[in-house]
Amino acid sequence: MAFDIFLSSPDVGATEEQAILDALHSGWIAPLGPMVDGFEDDMAGRIGVSHAVALSSGTAALHLALLATGIGKDDIVVTSTMTFAATANAIVYTGARPFFVDVDPGSGCMDPGLLAEALELLRRTGQPVKAVMPVDLLGRAADYTQIEPLVASYDLMLIPDAAEALGATHGGRAAGSFGLAAALSFNGNKIITTSGGGMLLTNDAALASKVRYLATQARQPVIWYEHTDIGYNYRMSNLLAALGRAQLSRLDAMMVRRAALRDRYKAFWADVPGVTIFAGDGDEHDNKWLTSVLVDPAQAGWTSEDLRLFLAEARIESRPLWKPMHLQPVFADAAALITGSSQRLFETGLTLPSGSVLTDQEHNRVFEVLVKFLESRQ
Ligand SMILES: *Cc1c(COP(=O)(O)O)cnc(C)c1O
């Protein structure tokens, strides 16, 4: 299906163009260079952590966060079932096994009460659990007020997947600043993009330097190529870091733009029975990355899939929420503690166009089509 209006496409313009040209003209074309250092400093300052390591993807950041903290064969990492596959894949890359926990139906993030149950169960049965990886779903930080002390009380490592949450806060602290290390993503549809890229954030200097080492082929500091570990080619290039710096300088403005669209969705859906806004409801500290609705077919008289098809017919993209990992064929055998909340979110949720690059005319077009859809259902 071809679309004219996308869910969340890259928002780049003159600032980004100039930044990339400047980096190109500077001669730093090879991977690494001053823009990588600058992007890391800018991001560490923004998030309030002492170290940031720019990487080729958010998945690479998750993978190296786990490897550098010593996660390996047969360890168990407890994570949220409602996420993008990259979270669980990174766990599997290390030889560890994911244990999926269901979510709080209000936020879509890991349910802290259920996490407590899972950790107790794992302890009682003597399982080798090492770390907990909450996911800051759709740009909203997980409930670290509860999760942080809980994970500490079991003497486990907290390694958040903050890939979607740059710009969000929880209790006045930035998403990405919680835990031993956290991962951000700058993939094309995230709130800022380097076309592809990610970053690892930590306050631990030794951990940061281990991640840099593993990300640059694990080269020993001698003049010939000497290796005592398996390394990876996971660093970000200088050109893409220039793009990232330009994007980060516009993050606040992009969040304002997304928030305005969300407010319009909120006003629109307020009077429609059976429809509630999902992201940001009761939490104004998310980054407004994506706005989704939950549709109760019994009340609304139609399903989220009816709406998706109608929008697609008008060349407007919308998409269901992440399909939970415990329902994915590839993770069918993984251990999990499930309430059904994530499955209900998957079955009733639909993410609407949310990008900061959308023009006022495009916003108007989306709402015209939404009005037509509701008329068609009367
Ligand atoms: C996008 C995303 C990732 C992966 O990031 P990439 O940069 O695409 O590798 C990981 N986890 C979550 C929750 C994501 O949304």
Side-chain angles (χ1 to χ4, degrees):
M1 179 61 71
F3 298 115
D4 298 326
I5 296 180
F6 292 91
L7 210 63
S8 177
S9 32
D11 179 355
V12 296
T15 311
E16 286 76 9
E17 193 178 328
Q18 193 57 50
I20 291 179
L21 277 177
D22 288 349
L24 199 62
H25 294 151
S26 77
W28 289 91
I29 313 302
L32 300 181
M35 283 297 152
V36 174
D37 300 340
F39 188 30
E40 291 177 344
D41 290 347
D42 292 353
M43 190 62 80
R46 165 90 198 200
I47 303 294
V49 294
S50 24
H51 306 279
V53 185
L55 298 165
S56 54
S57 70
T59 310
L62 291 169
H63 186 193
L64 292 189
L66 293 166
L67 283 181
T69 52
I71 305 289
K73 192 165 165 27
D74 297 332
D75 291 336
I76 292 175
V77 178
V78 179
T79 190
S80 173
T81 190
M82 187 112 204
T83 187
F84 178 49
T87 317
N89 288 345
I91 294 168
V92 174
Y93 296 163
T94 68
R97 290 170 290 158
F99 182 107
F100 298 115
V101 170
D102 218 322
V103 301
D104 175 321
S107 70
C109 295
M110 181 183 271
D111 178 336
L114 211 55
L115 173 63
E117 253 182 72
L119 295 180
E120 198 45 46
L121 174 83
L122 289 163
R123 174 150 79 183
R124 207 171 52 236
T125 51
Q127 310 241 23
V129 53
K130 291 278 173 60
V132 176
M133 181 173 274
V135 177
D136 299 334
L137 192 81
L138 304 184
R140 174 174 14 208
D143 185 357
Y144 293 107
T145 305
Q146 295 198 59
I147 292 174
E148 207 171 36
L150 179 62
V151 171
S153 74
Y154 281 84
D155 209 15
L156 302 173
M157 295 183 287
L158 178 62
I159 306 175
D161 179 347
E164 303 175 359
L166 173 62
T169 61
H170 174 85
R173 288 165 63 191
S177 71
F178 295 89
L180 189 53
L184 294 176
S185 166
F186 314 123
N187 201 354
N189 62 354
K190 296 289 169 18
I191 193 149
I192 72 167
T193 185
T194 56
S195 73
M199 206 174 271
L200 180 130
L201 304 164
T202 182
N203 285 310
D204 184 323
L207 184 58
S209 71
K210 182 145 192 208
V211 168
R212 283 176 210 282
Y213 161 75
L214 290 173
T216 45
Q217 309 283 22
R219 268 190 76 183
Q220 290 299 316
V222 290
I223 197 72
W224 60 91
Y225 286 91
E226 177 88 6
H227 303 275
T228 54
D229 290 294
I230 299 295
Y232 301 83
N233 181 7
Y234 274 178
R235 279 293 249 161
M236 180 180 282
S237 86
N238 199 57
L239 291 181
L240 298 189
L243 175 54
R245 289 188 91 176
Q247 287 267 283
L248 184 57
S249 76
R250 294 179 46 234
L251 172 63
D252 290 315
M254 291 195 276
M255 282 167 51
V256 167
R257 182 83 190 146
R258 286 181 189 255
L261 181 52
R262 173 167 307 167
D263 287 343
R264 204 166 158 188
Y265 281 128
K266 276 187 176 165
F268 179 85
W269 292 112
D271 314 321
V272 181
V275 182
T276 47
I277 296 278
F278 175 54
D281 204 20
D283 173 8
E284 299 305 327
H285 303 294
D286 74 315
N287 65 3
K288 319 293 186 292
W289 177 45
L290 297 178
T291 298
S292 314
V293 287
L294 301 177
V295 180
D296 174 358
Q299 274 195 66
W302 45 271
T303 65
S304 56
E305 180 64 3
D306 293 331
L307 176 56
R308 188 188 72 76
L309 291 171
F310 194 92
L311 290 169
E313 205 57 47
R315 301 172 67 89
I316 297 172
E317 185 184 26
S318 64
R319 207 181 293 164
L321 302 180
W322 298 125
K323 181 173 181 180
M325 290 303 111
H326 73 276
L327 299 177
Q328 300 285 356
V330 69
F331 293 116
D333 296 333
L337 199 56
I338 299 304
T339 57
S341 293
S342 57
Q343 184 167 357
R344 272 191 298 281
L345 291 173
F346 169 62
E347 286 167 356
T348 62
L350 190 72
T351 299
L352 301 171
S354 306
S356 52
V357 76
L358 295 175
T359 62
D360 289 347
Q361 289 86 330
E362 287 169 323
H363 290 185
N364 293 342
R365 169 94 188 115
V366 170
F367 286 93
E368 275 164 28
V369 174
L370 289 176
V371 168
K372 277 204 195 115
F373 172 72
L374 291 181
E375 283 168 2
S376 80
R377 288 280 148 182
Q378 272 166 8

